[in-house]
Amino acid sequence: AQSVTQLGSHVSVSEGALVLLRCNYSSSVPPYLFWYVQYPNQGLQLLLKYTSAATLVKGINGFEAEFKKSETSFHLTKPSAHMSDAAEYFCAVSQLYGQNFVFGPGTRLSVLP
Amino acid sequence: ETGVTQSPTHLIKTRGQQVTLRCSSQSGHNTVSWYQQALGQGPQFIFQYYREEENGRGNFPPRFSGLQFPNYSSELNVNALELDDSALYLCASSSGQGNEQYFGPGTRLTVT
């Protein structure tokens, strides 16, 4: 069975600092990987997705993630944090693109002025 | 093009009651998935409907059931509500099996 771990339930960074949110997955075959963002009292918005094309994936709002098969990781980064980035971030995996997602527990990002 | 919508936004039910949640999929989408998100956790897959047929189910008991209508809107029904059913219920639609999912804003269910 697939599983997703996100190291750090809460991450705090200063405005302008690097954002790094970690995601590791367990899967018997290379999966499809996604990062979603959730603002308070809202649904999930897709930030970016890996679908076996380029290993470095660029998403919206300046975020990007790199798929590393040897490390079974898909960490999310952004060079410079903005106050509006404060939200909950979820990593998700699927064996079949878009179907039956398995989500990680989430990481809450706080951005300090 | 309207996105995925869900109703109601919030509701409060008593343990043992039944509840129906509704989801209108994005225009052109024929696949709907439902997820349960407990407070402080990631969403958990409940089931998926593709062209009115259930097409996959997560680890949820039979008292969680659903329907998809010819216009591809969907309902999630939960019978014999338990306190642990309190959660945000998310609906996601896609244009077919294996395609990107778009999420609605969710329905917040509180069971007392």
Side-chain angles (χ1 to χ4, degrees):
Chain A
Q2 300 170 90
S3 67
V4 178
T5 57
Q6 293 183 239
L7 186 62
S9 60
H10 184 204
V11 170
S12 291
V13 299
S14 299
E15 191 173 20
L18 171 71
V19 175
L20 170 61
L21 304 181
R22 299 179 187 274
C23 172
N24 289 87
Y25 66 92
S26 66
S27 176
S28 57
V29 296
Y32 297 105
L33 295 157
F34 306 81
W35 274 100
Y36 281 85
V37 61
Q38 186 176 37
Y39 296 98
N41 301 314
Q42 294 188 26
L44 303 175
Q45 180 183 7
L46 180 68
L47 278 177
L48 48 81
K49 58 191 177 188
Y50 167 75
T51 58
S52 74
T55 57
L56 182 61
V57 181
K58 293 187 183 299
I60 62 172
N61 301 338
F63 285 93
E64 63 181 37
E66 185 173 8
F67 171 67
K68 292 186 176 181
K69 182 179 177 181
S70 61
E71 299 178 7
T72 60
S73 68
F74 191 57
H75 302 331
L76 182 71
T77 60
K78 182 175 180 177
S80 177
H82 191 272
M83 297 295 288
S84 61
D85 294 327
E88 189 87 19
Y89 291 80
F90 294 95
C91 181
V93 61
S94 174
Q95 286 303 133
L96 179 64
Y97 178 42
Q99 188 170 347
N100 299 0
F101 283 10
V102 175
F103 282 88
T107 296
R108 182 162 60 92
L109 175 67
S110 296
V111 182
L112 309 174
Chain B
E1 179 182 276
T2 56
V4 179
T5 60
Q6 294 185 242
S7 63
T9 305
H10 298 87
L11 75 166
I12 300 173
K13 290 287 189 178
T14 303
R15 189 170 49 184
Q17 287 187 316
Q18 179 266 343
V19 69
T20 297
L21 310 182
R22 295 177 175 82
C23 171
S24 291
S25 58
Q26 187 163 313
S27 177
H29 287 185
N30 57 16
T31 303
V32 172
S33 300
W34 286 92
Y35 294 83
Q36 180 195 66
Q37 185 179 15
L39 196 62
Q41 297 183 24
Q44 301 276 322
F45 173 70
I46 302 175
F47 45 56
Q48 182 183 78
Y49 279 84
Y50 172 65
R51 293 186 175 180
E52 303 179 57
E53 297 288 332
E54 186 177 293
N55 180 50
R57 187 178 183 92
N59 188 27
F60 281 81
R63 60 189 185 84
F64 285 78
S65 63
L67 281 173
Q68 188 178 32
F69 300 99
N71 66 355
Y72 302 129
S73 65
S74 178
E75 288 183 353
L76 165 65
N77 299 290
V78 186
N79 294 321
L81 283 167
E82 300 178 358
L83 296 179
D84 285 348
D85 296 333
S86 295
L88 180 68
Y89 288 84
L90 296 166
C91 166
S93 74
S94 64
S95 58
Q97 294 176 282
N99 288 335
E100 181 175 322
Q101 297 189 12
Y102 293 82
F103 284 80
T107 293
R108 174 73 63 187
L109 171 64
T110 302
V111 182
T112 62

